[in-house]
Amino acid sequence: MTRYDNLASIIGDRIEQGLYTCGQRLPSVRALSLEHEVSISTVQQAYRVLEERRLIEARPKSGYFVSQHHEPAALPAMCRPAQRPVDISQWDLVLKLLRADPVDGMVHLGPGMPDISSPTLRPLNKELSRIALHPDLRGMTYGDISGAPALREQIARLLVDSGCLALPEDIMITTGCHEALSIAIHALCQAGDIVAVDSPSFHGVTQTLKAFGIKALEIPTDPVTGISLEALELALEQWPIKAIQVTPNCNNPLGYIMPDAHKHALLCLAARYDTPIIEDDVYGDLAYRYPRPHTIKSFDDDGRVLLCSSFSKTLAPGLRVGWIVPGRYMEKVIHMKYIGTGATALQPQLAVAEFVRQGHYQKHLRRMRARYQLNCDIMTDWVKSYFPPETRVSRPQGGFLMWIELPDRFDSLRLNRQLEKMAIQIAVGPIFSASGKYRHCLRLTYATQLTDEIEAAVKKIGETIKRQLAEVAT
Amino acid sequence: MTRYDNLASIIGDRIEQGLYTCGQRLPSVRALSLEHEVSISTVQQAYRVLEERRLIEARPKSGYFVSQHHEPAALPAMCRPAQRPVDISQWDLVLKLLRADPVDGMVHLGPGMPDISSPTLRPLNKELSRIALHPDLRGMTYGDISGAPALREQIARLLVDSGCLALPEDIMITTGCHEALSIAIHALCQAGDIVAVDSPSFHGVTQTLKAFGIKALEIPTDPVTGISLEALELALEQWPIKAIQVTPNCNNPLGYIMPDAHKHALLCLAARYDTPIIEDDVYGDLAYRYPRPHTIKSFDDDGRVLLCSSFSKTLAPGLRVGWIVPGRYMEKVIHMKYIGTGATALQPQLAVAEFVRQGHYQKHLRRMRARYQLNCDIMTDWVKSYFPPETRVSRPQGGFLMWIELPDRFDSLRLNRQLEKMAIQIAVGPIFSASGKYRHCLRLTYATQLTDEIEAAVKKIGETIKRQLAEVAT
Ligand SMILES: Cc1ncc(COP(=O)(O)O)c(C=O)c1O
Ligand SMILES: Cc1ncc(COP(=O)(O)O)c(C=O)c1O
């Protein structure tokens, strides 16, 4: 990260936190240069970055000001789930999202699909192509049950960025983060057990709990700091919770990054109740701020955290290359891997290993982080402009997903049916709850280039919502 | 298949079945030409094929004779497992086989790994390489949850060869046959249930049962006709069996092909007790005889058979491309797929689809079938030459695996420890039993070219066995 990027992110944070408010004049270039001990041109470049992000505006002869339209939208409320373990439903809705007929010209704001068109991915395609023709036929055998050693070595190196020290032999490769999560749950729990989850939460996890006959206990979750530790502690006291599953970094769908102090406190709480933590970090490398945030795993010194992740959101999901760092549960985890898929497709593993080794991964990440952050600002603006004023919007700290909350009387399923006819796809709220909550919420993806067509689609969504609210009010 | 190949296989079968015995004179070329209404040269070519397979010998001026050394070795005995459901053990031994340190110059006669060096596979590598560079980035997305439509279309076409009529939408792609089997078991059974399996049986299945807390009921199995229907019926009467799992074609490890009448009777029995059948056909396309054998699925008209297979043994396991045709259980099966891995790596799917579509698959199969059949004859000869006379050997009808039974006092685990020091790897018998039976058995793979080095290894195995038997006898 360059100096000016760093400075831009510091000032950006101050604006987001309300230290400088809408329309307020920002410190002069000179003042900032003195305060941060950087050159005048560094400050100028930082201000230009913030202008591009539409956070600030330059006024000739007067200096820089916080954008007029940068009044942050209200945040979604803390959820108040029923405080008891529930059986999981909603599979029909998840399947509908997965299956959505790819109508011609469909605008996809539903699935968690990254932008795969970046030129920084090209070396990966070349590597895949090269390996396929390699005369030693590497990639055609089963390979090591734990996954290609070359890849595990590179992942061990990447883990250092999140503060996590792991050896290649502490890592097992999986068929995407899905398999990592499924293995983790299966290794720890049996039918009838209870798992505590943040709420809203990723449907891949809740559906896995459903498949294994495990109950979910949805814990209230703050849209900025993550799972409520107070509520979790109460739950741990009250119920025999077998595991805690959270996505603390660039949460899907809320976008928050749990503060380090909270991560540490969560780990201590888990230790006190001797409960393992299943940590999903699949969006962690896409945090907008640099260096990237810590994982809970990075604080874990007794092997109670099972870290699950993949290259699906950072590179491409079709590779199906993920991993798990299961701490003290490695033995069980290998058994689950063997019986689940036997091995992970080998050529994609080898290609990714080489891509990372040659430094292409970090370069690609830098580009995607900047792109997604810019898109986040644009999408936030659009939602503020086109959605009704009662709309509450998440403030994503990474990734490419936005959570939107509307008044209780709003029905996202009804919205979805209407949008389908307009060839617009969104993700409806209830799939993010084990018990069908969040019917008044929806999630939008902003990974691809935000064209006029997408703006028009967001506008249509806003209008359709307004119409619905007006109808229901009368 | 050519006419002479067809004729060769008819005569070969007669020899295998003992119709012509060791040293006996075979019908004259003219007689056969009249009997089968084929040309003289077709018969001559057929006899040449059988000579190559070492089944017959030409004696100048006298005609063709069944080979002197073609006294078939005795078959393994029908197993007599304890007739009650058991919890599964043996994971440590399976893991040892999976993990075996690849010592330099190790002779691998253990794992079920096909020959991936055949030039007939080259178009597949080219296709993989081409797809990786395709500008539409196909293969980088999640794709359809059921797998690439293009591939399902080709598999539907291939299924016709086994007598099975299925539409692309009846098929779901999986991460190898492992995932297909795991999904099938998980979709049908819960912890505490009982599944009937043929015995010896594939460790992937029994280990999956173990992971789900399901009990295995091992049914006596004939080395020529497969699972005993009488014993299975008794078991179905006595126990609440939730599913029957069998590998009727080119069974691993016994190599038999269950006769059609038995397949049909098995299906009727299952229908009578309203029990689903999980059919593993992973070696079915490698049957030596042509056309390839039917699946049980091909007789199934009420959707009770879940057919599981993959391209791991026919093409290459590193692709991790398998499939399931789950009949009436499709809905549950898709849920299990979603929670297990979310999707299967897409580029290998697309490459295989194109390889099959262009006709390369059938060409490759023809070559591999011939190769494996030849290797089977050679390996059988070697075992007869180098192993003690009490040795019993399976008569594989396809695939590349041989099951060997020795006197009860023999210990394959001890043999294995001794062979490891000689850098020879085999598969020990107990991993093929849920309850650790078959300690006196072992399995050998004969997929790769049978070099002098491999002959030397087989000789060493024979000698080590003889030494052990002599020691234990005294
Ligand atoms: C939070 C979260 N975890 C895991 C996954 C699954 O990742 P993968 O595609 O690597 O299986 C997703 C993607 O949908 C996700 O959003
Ligand atoms: C009978 C049988 N079924 C299934 C499998 C697993 O196949 P795959 O590699 O496609 O998962 C094997 C391979 O070991 C096998 O022998």
Side-chain angles (χ1 to χ4, degrees):
Chain A
M1 198 179 213
T2 60
R3 279 192 182 190
Y4 65 84
D5 270 332
N6 201 26
L7 182 58
S9 106
I10 290 170
I11 302 171
D13 281 355
R14 288 184 186 170
I15 296 173
E16 300 282 5
Q17 286 156 15
L19 250 75
Y20 304 119
T21 55
C22 203
Q24 189 182 334
R25 190 172 184 277
L26 289 160
S28 72
V29 170
R30 217 184 127 68
L32 274 185
S33 143
L34 286 170
E35 180 189 342
H36 293 277
E37 298 183 10
V38 294
S39 71
I40 294 284
S41 82
T42 299
V43 179
Q44 284 170 331
Q45 278 178 294
Y47 272 154
R48 218 160 294 139
V49 168
L50 292 168
E51 259 188 289
E52 263 176 33
R53 286 182 52 201
R54 304 211 212 170
L55 277 180
I56 67 172
E57 296 164 357
R59 295 197 200 141
K61 307 251 165 83
S62 323
Y64 291 91
F65 293 77
V66 178
S67 285
Q68 281 299 354
H69 66 275
H70 189 74
E71 190 71 67
L75 278 163
M78 182 109 158
C79 78
R80 301 259 167 262
Q83 294 269 27
R84 52 179 179 72
V86 295
D87 286 320
I88 291 123
S89 49
Q90 316 308 323
W91 167 239
D92 46 339
L93 290 177
V94 174
L95 188 60
K96 211 171 156 198
L97 176 65
L98 297 172
R99 277 262 139 121
D101 243 344
V103 179
D104 255 357
M106 181 78 131
V107 179
H108 292 281
L109 302 172
M113 176 67 199
D115 182 8
I116 55 169
S117 70
S118 169
T120 46
L121 265 188
R122 248 173 245 156
L124 179 60
N125 296 312
K126 283 203 189 122
E127 198 53 43
L128 279 162
S129 174
R130 207 182 61 84
I131 282 166
L133 293 178
H134 200 286
D136 73 2
L137 301 170
R138 59 172 88 184
M140 297 297 264
T141 67
Y142 280 105
D144 189 320
I145 171 97
S146 295
L151 178 61
R152 288 187 282 134
E153 215 171 276
Q154 294 306 320
I155 292 173
R157 280 182 48 202
L158 293 179
L159 285 175
V160 175
D161 292 345
S162 61
C164 179
L165 296 177
L167 297 170
E169 53 266 40
D170 302 328
I171 300 165
M172 192 187 77
I173 304 300
T174 57
T175 307
C177 188
H178 260 284
E179 188 179 30
L181 291 164
S182 181
I183 283 177
I185 291 167
H186 194 182
L188 298 174
C189 312
Q190 299 191 324
D193 285 349
I194 301 169
V195 170
V197 297
D198 44 23
S199 176
S201 54
F202 171 50
H203 36 87
V205 168
T206 42
Q207 291 303 321
T208 303
L209 299 180
K210 176 186 171 75
F212 289 124
I214 298 164
K215 285 177 201 302
L217 182 56
E218 299 177 280
I219 306 293
T221 298
D222 182 274
V224 172
T225 57
I227 193 166
S228 158
L229 298 179
E230 297 71 31
L232 179 62
E233 179 152 19
L234 271 175
L236 283 164
E237 239 161 55
Q238 202 176 348
W239 304 100
I241 291 173
K242 271 295 181 68
I244 301 163
Q245 198 282 317
V246 287
T247 308
N249 290 324
C250 317
N251 177 271
N252 172 8
L254 275 172
Y256 60 77
I257 293 176
M258 201 175 180
D260 274 1
H262 274 60
K263 285 175 183 155
H264 194 252
L266 173 56
L267 185 63
C268 292
L269 187 58
R272 199 129 43 78
Y273 287 87
D274 197 17
T275 309
I277 295 176
I278 302 173
E279 178 178 23
D280 183 344
D281 189 52
V282 80
Y283 290 96
D285 276 353
L286 292 174
Y288 303 150
R289 71 163 198 246
Y290 185 89
R292 61 145 287 164
H294 285 104
T295 51
I296 302 173
K297 180 82 190 168
S298 72
F299 301 108
D300 175 30
D301 47 23
D302 67 350
R304 88 171 51 250
V305 179
L306 299 92
L307 179 72
C308 301
S309 195
S310 81
F311 292 105
S312 295
K313 309 302 178 180
T314 49
L315 299 178
L319 301 164
R320 308 311 296 135
V321 178
W323 64 90
I324 184 169
V325 192
R328 61 168 92 146
Y329 304 98
M330 183 58 106
E331 211 176 314
K332 269 200 142 175
V333 158
I334 290 185
H335 192 248
M336 295 304 143
K337 170 68 187 170
Y338 175 67
I339 66 113
T341 55
T344 298
L346 197 43
Q347 291 190 357
Q349 291 185 54
L350 298 171
V352 170
E354 197 52 24
F355 183 81
V356 176
R357 198 184 67 75
Q358 294 182 6
H360 299 299
Y361 180 69
Q362 295 298 355
K363 201 172 147 195
H364 176 69
L365 272 190
R366 273 199 296 278
R367 192 186 162 96
M368 300 324 286
R369 275 197 301 253
R371 150 72 85 93
Y372 295 146
Q373 182 168 28
L374 195 63
N375 281 3
C376 177
D377 292 340
I378 297 174
M379 186 60 98
T380 306
D381 277 355
W382 288 351
V383 170
K384 281 197 309 199
S385 310
Y386 301 129
F387 278 42
E390 309 94 304
T391 308
R392 292 159 170 268
V393 188
S394 64
R395 290 197 198 128
Q397 305 298 304
F400 42 74
L401 304 170
M402 185 166 290
W403 182 248
I404 293 168
E405 187 185 307
L406 287 150
D408 279 348
R409 68 183 192 279
F410 169 74
D411 180 0
S412 62
L413 300 191
R414 202 182 139 202
L415 172 72
N416 195 35
R417 284 191 299 271
Q418 296 169 307
L419 292 178
E420 272 171 10
K421 289 178 208 145
M422 309 180 202
I424 297 171
Q425 197 195 20
I426 58 160
V428 298
I431 61 175
F432 300 95
S433 162
S435 53
K437 273 180 290 293
Y438 308 122
R439 217 173 149 117
H440 60 305
C441 300
L442 58 130
R443 193 192 73 180
L444 299 181
T445 304
Y446 52 80
T448 55
Q449 201 171 343
L450 295 180
T451 56
D452 292 349
E453 193 196 1
I454 296 184
E455 182 171 8
V458 175
K459 198 170 168 189
K460 271 190 213 160
I461 301 175
E463 284 161 1
T464 315
I465 293 174
K466 283 179 190 163
R467 251 197 322 275
Q468 195 193 113
L469 287 179
E471 271 173 46
V472 185
T474 55
Chain B
M1 199 178 210
T2 60
R3 281 191 178 191
Y4 65 82
D5 269 332
N6 200 26
L7 182 59
S9 106
I10 292 170
I11 303 169
D13 280 356
R14 289 184 184 170
I15 297 172
E16 299 284 3
Q17 286 155 15
L19 250 73
Y20 305 119
T21 56
C22 203
Q24 189 181 335
R25 193 172 181 277
L26 289 160
S28 72
V29 169
R30 218 185 124 69
L32 274 186
S33 145
L34 287 171
E35 179 188 344
H36 294 277
E37 298 182 11
V38 294
S39 71
I40 295 283
S41 82
T42 299
V43 179
Q44 284 170 330
Q45 278 179 298
Y47 272 154
R48 220 160 292 138
V49 168
L50 294 167
E51 259 189 290
E52 262 175 33
R53 286 184 50 200
R54 305 211 212 171
L55 277 179
I56 66 171
E57 295 164 356
R59 294 197 200 141
K61 306 248 165 82
S62 326
Y64 291 90
F65 293 79
V66 179
S67 284
Q68 281 300 352
H69 66 276
H70 189 75
E71 190 69 70
L75 278 164
M78 181 108 157
C79 78
R80 300 261 167 261
Q83 295 269 28
R84 53 179 178 74
V86 294
D87 286 319
I88 292 124
S89 49
Q90 316 308 324
W91 167 239
D92 47 337
L93 290 177
V94 175
L95 188 60
K96 212 172 155 193
L97 175 65
L98 297 172
R99 277 259 136 123
D101 241 345
V103 180
D104 255 358
M106 180 79 127
V107 179
H108 292 282
L109 302 171
M113 174 69 199
D115 183 6
I116 53 167
S117 70
S118 169
T120 47
L121 265 189
R122 250 174 244 155
L124 179 61
N125 296 311
K126 283 203 190 122
E127 198 51 43
L128 278 162
S129 173
R130 207 182 61 84
I131 282 168
L133 293 179
H134 200 286
D136 74 2
L137 301 169
R138 59 174 88 185
M140 297 298 262
T141 67
Y142 281 105
D144 189 320
I145 172 99
S146 294
L151 178 60
R152 288 186 281 135
E153 213 172 278
Q154 294 307 319
I155 291 172
R157 281 182 48 200
L158 292 179
L159 285 175
V160 175
D161 292 345
S162 61
C164 179
L165 295 178
L167 297 170
E169 53 265 39
D170 301 328
I171 300 165
M172 192 186 76
I173 304 300
T174 58
T175 307
C177 189
H178 259 283
E179 192 183 29
L181 291 164
S182 182
I183 283 177
I185 292 167
H186 194 184
L188 298 174
C189 311
Q190 299 190 322
D193 284 348
I194 301 169
V195 170
V197 297
D198 43 22
S199 178
S201 54
F202 172 50
H203 35 86
V205 167
T206 43
Q207 290 303 320
T208 302
L209 300 180
K210 176 185 170 76
F212 290 123
I214 298 164
K215 285 177 201 299
L217 181 57
E218 299 177 280
I219 307 292
T221 298
D222 183 274
V224 172
T225 58
I227 194 167
S228 157
L229 298 179
E230 298 71 30
L232 179 61
E233 179 152 19
L234 272 175
L236 283 164
E237 237 161 59
Q238 203 175 348
W239 304 99
I241 290 173
K242 271 295 180 68
I244 301 162
Q245 199 283 317
V246 288
T247 306
N249 291 323
C250 317
N251 176 271
N252 172 11
L254 276 171
Y256 59 78
I257 293 177
M258 201 173 180
D260 274 0
H262 273 60
K263 286 175 184 154
H264 194 253
L266 173 55
L267 185 64
C268 293
L269 188 58
R272 197 130 42 79
Y273 287 85
D274 197 17
T275 309
I277 296 176
I278 302 171
E279 177 178 25
D280 183 345
D281 189 53
V282 79
Y283 289 97
D285 276 352
L286 293 174
Y288 302 150
R289 74 163 195 243
Y290 185 89
R292 62 143 287 167
H294 285 103
T295 51
I296 301 173
K297 180 83 192 166
S298 72
F299 302 107
D300 175 29
D301 48 24
D302 66 350
R304 87 172 51 252
V305 179
L306 299 92
L307 179 72
C308 302
S309 194
S310 80
F311 292 106
S312 296
K313 310 301 178 182
T314 49
L315 299 177
L319 301 165
R320 307 312 296 133
V321 178
W323 65 89
I324 183 167
V325 192
R328 60 168 92 147
Y329 304 99
M330 182 58 104
E331 210 176 315
K332 269 199 144 178
V333 158
I334 290 185
H335 193 248
M336 296 303 146
K337 170 66 186 173
Y338 175 68
I339 67 112
T341 55
T344 298
L346 197 44
Q347 292 190 356
Q349 291 185 55
L350 297 172
V352 170
E354 198 51 25
F355 183 81
V356 177
R357 197 185 67 76
Q358 295 183 3
H360 298 300
Y361 180 68
Q362 295 297 355
K363 200 170 148 197
H364 177 67
L365 272 190
R366 276 199 294 278
R367 192 184 161 98
M368 300 324 286
R369 276 197 298 253
R371 152 71 85 91
Y372 295 148
Q373 181 168 31
L374 194 64
N375 279 4
C376 178
D377 293 339
I378 297 173
M379 187 59 98
T380 306
D381 277 355
W382 286 351
V383 170
K384 282 199 307 206
S385 310
Y386 301 129
F387 278 42
E390 310 94 305
T391 307
R392 291 160 169 267
V393 189
S394 64
R395 288 191 203 135
Q397 304 298 306
F400 43 73
L401 304 170
M402 184 166 288
W403 182 249
I404 293 167
E405 187 184 309
L406 288 149
D408 280 346
R409 68 183 193 280
F410 168 74
D411 179 359
S412 62
L413 300 191
R414 200 180 142 204
L415 171 71
N416 195 34
R417 284 191 297 272
Q418 295 169 309
L419 292 178
E420 271 170 11
K421 288 179 208 143
M422 307 178 201
I424 298 170
Q425 197 196 17
I426 58 161
V428 298
I431 62 176
F432 299 95
S433 162
S435 52
K437 273 180 289 290
Y438 308 121
R439 217 176 150 116
H440 60 304
C441 299
L442 59 132
R443 192 192 73 180
L444 298 181
T445 303
Y446 52 81
T448 55
Q449 200 172 345
L450 295 180
T451 56
D452 292 351
E453 195 196 358
I454 297 184
E455 180 170 11
V458 175
K459 196 168 170 190
K460 271 189 211 160
I461 300 173
E463 282 161 2
T464 315
I465 293 174
K466 283 179 189 162
R467 249 195 327 271
Q468 195 194 112
L469 286 178
E471 271 173 46
V472 185
T474 56

